Each structure stands twice: as structure tokens, then as C-alpha cells.
Amino acid sequence: MTMPDAAIGCVANLWSKQMHFKKSGDTEQGHSHKFDHLTLLASGSLQVIVDGAVSEFKAPQMIYIEAGKVHELIALEDNTVAYCIHALRDDEGIILDPSMIPAGINKDNVFNYASPLITK
């Protein structure tokens, strides 16, 4: 089994993993996440297996992956490109660590702007 080529991007609190499945059959092995996320299928097609249930998607398509669900991505055609996208969070689901906010910045304002994405 060949894994896709991967590149990681991070801007603000948005994390993305670009996966380039060069050949049909290339596979992103089954794994799960603590939080819901989006897989953006930009080109090609994928078989998505979630807890053993199989679906097929053709680009362009946004694919919802529920938290805690083991999922595997298998390219159905050469040069398939997909992106896993989610907010950066710690194990408790907090996106922004209050300890990283310097004096002079209104912490309450920061949390109000980011709500409901974060918890205090």
C-alpha cells in the first residue's frame, strides 16, 4: 500500500493536510480524530471507509468526518488531491490558549470573536 504525498499548511488556527494520491489505490490509512473535520476532495475521486461503511466521492466535494470515527481514504483514480482541514485544538477542544495572549490585548474580546469555536 502506498501512502499519498503529504504537505502540511497552517494559518491562524486553521490546519490543513494536502494529500496527493499519485496512483489509483494509494491509501491514507485508517485513523480517527478527537474532533469533527472536513476533507475537501479537490480533484479525482476517493473511496472513503468510515467504521467499515464504504462511500465513493468525485471531486469537487466536501466530505464530513465525524469525531472519533475511524476513516480511511483510497484513491479511485490517479492524481487525486484531497485536503483534511480543521481548527487547531488541544485535547480539551480549546483552540486558543489564554496563556499566549500578551498584556495589552483584551482577552474577553479575543474569546468573543472566536466564539463558538473555543471554550473558556
Side-chain angles (χ1 to χ4, degrees), residues 34-95:
K34 291 185 178 191
F35 306 102
D36 296 344
H37 78 279
L38 174 74
T39 297
L40 172 62
L41 179 56
S43 64
S45 56
L46 285 175
Q47 181 180 72
V48 179
I49 303 170
V50 179
D51 284 346
V54 179
S55 300
E56 291 186 4
F57 296 94
K58 179 98 174 130
Q61 181 69 50
M62 291 184 282
I63 304 165
Y64 168 74
I65 304 295
E66 186 178 351
K69 296 289 186 176
V70 174
H71 55 286
E72 180 174 78
L73 310 174
I74 303 168
L76 297 176
E77 47 185 287
D78 292 353
N79 289 314
T80 293
V81 178
Y83 298 82
C84 284
I85 303 168
H86 61 80
L88 293 173
R89 304 179 215 200
D90 66 13
D91 288 342
E92 285 76 45
I94 298 173
I95 295 171

